[in-house]
Every structure is written in C-alpha cells, then in structure tokens.
Amino acid sequence: MRILVSLICGTLFGAGLYISGMINPQKVLGFLDIWAIADGGWDPSLAFVMGGGLIVAMPIFWFAKSRSEAICGGEMNLPTNRAISKKLMIGGVLFGTGWGLVGYCPGPAISALAFGQFDTIIFVIAMLAGMAAAKMMRLNA
C-alpha cells in the first residue's frame, strides 16, 4: 500500500511540476531574475506555485504532527531540529547558486528527465555526483 501511495504522490507531484511549467528552467530563471521587475520582464508565477504548495501542505503537516504512525503504516519522522548551522547555511548557498545558474532544483530536474533533454541529464548526473561527494565528506569527517 505504501508503494502505491508513494507512486500516486510522486506522479501527482511530477504532473504538478509539468503543468505549472516548473520543469522549464527558463520559467524558473524568469522568476529569479528580480532585476527584470523594472522593465516588466519578471515572471512571478513561481511564487503562486509555491504558495499553492504551502496551502495544500500546511494542513497535512499539522495533521501529521499529531500522529505517531503514518496512515499507510510506519513511523512518523518529522524534522525536529530548528537550529541554523554553518552547514545548513553553506548548503543553502550552494543549492541556491545551482538553482540560480541553471533553473533546476532536484524535484523538477528528476521530473524533466522524462523528456530526455541532454542538459537535464547532465544536470542530474552532476547533482548526484555532488550528493555522493557530500555523503563521502560526511563519512570522512
């Protein structure tokens, strides 16, 4: 049952990314280009996508916080750490830099793989290599 629910949720997420245009790096870069506000070229649509995601997710997280077990079984593992660490800040800067340079973050990049574009494949390979490097650094620390 958990695998089926995961498949449905992942498919819904990927479809939402596709329909909203968030798998198109140019659309994301159009949102991140705040200097284009002055000439009317800024694309605010990503803010509406993020807001819509929050409207749906917040009540579900409030519901989940009151449970000790997931609906489909298994332990609830919601994050409890609220500390802002140096590692978190560096990771956020690296994530934001990558997002701003190419217009992809992990979810949309994985969804965009379905279209087989070479630049998306290269991005995902580089993303996976960066994740592996970070894991190795944690293991060696």
Side-chain angles (χ1 to χ4, degrees), residues 22 26-33 36 40-47:
M22 293 303 111
Q26 295 308 313
K27 184 159 188 67
V28 174
L29 292 172
F31 171 76
L32 296 174
D33 184 9
W42 182 60
D43 182 358
S45 60
L46 180 56

Side-chain angles (χ1 to χ4, degrees), residues 56-112:
V56 172
M58 287 186 71
I60 294 170
F61 273 99
W62 285 326
F63 172 73
K65 281 173 44 175
S66 67
R67 300 182 55 88
S68 60
E69 187 175 296
I71 292 174
C72 293
E75 185 181 342
M76 292 293 286
N77 292 312
L78 296 175
T80 56
N81 185 354
R82 294 178 179 229
I84 298 176
S85 67
K86 182 179 175 182
K87 287 169 55 172
L88 177 66
M89 297 291 287
I90 292 169
V93 167
L94 288 172
F95 177 87
T97 301
W99 194 34
L101 287 173
V102 296
Y104 274 135
C105 66
I110 298 295
S111 296

